[in-house]
Amino acid sequence: MIRDICRDVLFLARKSQPAGPEDLSVAADLLDTLTAHADGCVGMAANMIGVSKCIIAFEDAGEYRVLFNPRIVKRSGPYEAEEGCLSLTGTRRTKRWQSIKVRYQDEQFRERFRTWTGWTAQIIQHEIDHCNGILI
């Protein structure tokens, strides 16, 4: 189901709660909403659709991926970026990392690790910031 985009800054500034198997429907709604906004959006976190759970969805080389409870465990190559967000007006400058290693859970809630670089790494960092209540 496509959900409305949350623009409530106080809600978005709250740290998200861990996700579990009962949140699979939230992940499906997140993917539906992301694909509905594909013309201007490459990633979303669950709080952007009004659900305070640590779930992100993003475009990765032409495919959509969902990560549950992602955490960056290693990073390298800092750089300055300018980003926009569907939930916020305008763009903001921020520090990002060229390469990140992420610990996350897949749709079966098995622990996984993966390294992403470049644009995809930047998207993931933005969405993890959302999960942590950091507004960029």
Side-chain angles (χ1 to χ4, degrees):
M1 171 175 59
I2 299 169
R3 297 210 191 177
D4 291 336
I5 302 299
C6 176
R7 299 180 194 290
D8 180 345
V9 187
L10 293 177
F11 180 81
L12 294 168
R14 294 191 326 211
K15 187 172 170 109
S16 297
Q17 297 299 309
E22 67 279 4
D23 298 310
L24 287 170
S25 64
V26 173
D29 290 352
L30 189 60
L31 275 175
D32 289 345
T33 306
L34 176 57
T35 57
H37 292 278
D39 61 334
C41 184
V42 292
M44 296 183 84
N47 64 356
M48 293 176 67
I49 60 169
V51 180
S52 188
K53 290 291 185 161
C54 195
I55 306 168
I56 67 171
F58 58 97
E59 190 271 325
D60 180 13
E63 290 184 39
Y64 287 106
R65 297 193 185 279
V66 174
L67 307 183
F68 295 87
N69 305 310
R71 297 284 179 252
I72 296 170
V73 296
K74 187 176 181 182
R75 58 191 184 187
S76 64
Y79 67 96
E80 291 292 320
E82 187 167 335
E83 300 175 351
C85 181
L86 279 181
S87 291
L88 304 169
T89 304
T91 60
R92 287 149 204 78
R93 297 211 47 84
T94 188
K95 181 179 182 179
R96 293 293 182 218
W97 302 89
Q98 182 62 34
S99 176
I100 57 170
K101 183 175 184 179
V102 179
R103 178 179 51 90
Y104 65 95
Q105 292 172 309
D106 64 15
E107 293 84 358
Q108 288 78 40
F109 288 85
R110 296 175 295 204
E111 185 174 72
R112 302 284 188 207
F113 290 87
R114 181 163 174 193
T115 298
W116 279 278
T117 61
W119 177 237
T120 304
Q122 184 174 338
I123 297 166
I124 294 167
Q125 290 169 82
H126 181 99
E127 305 316 331
I128 290 175
D129 278 354
H130 268 293
C131 291
N132 291 323
I134 298 168
L135 301 179
I136 300 294

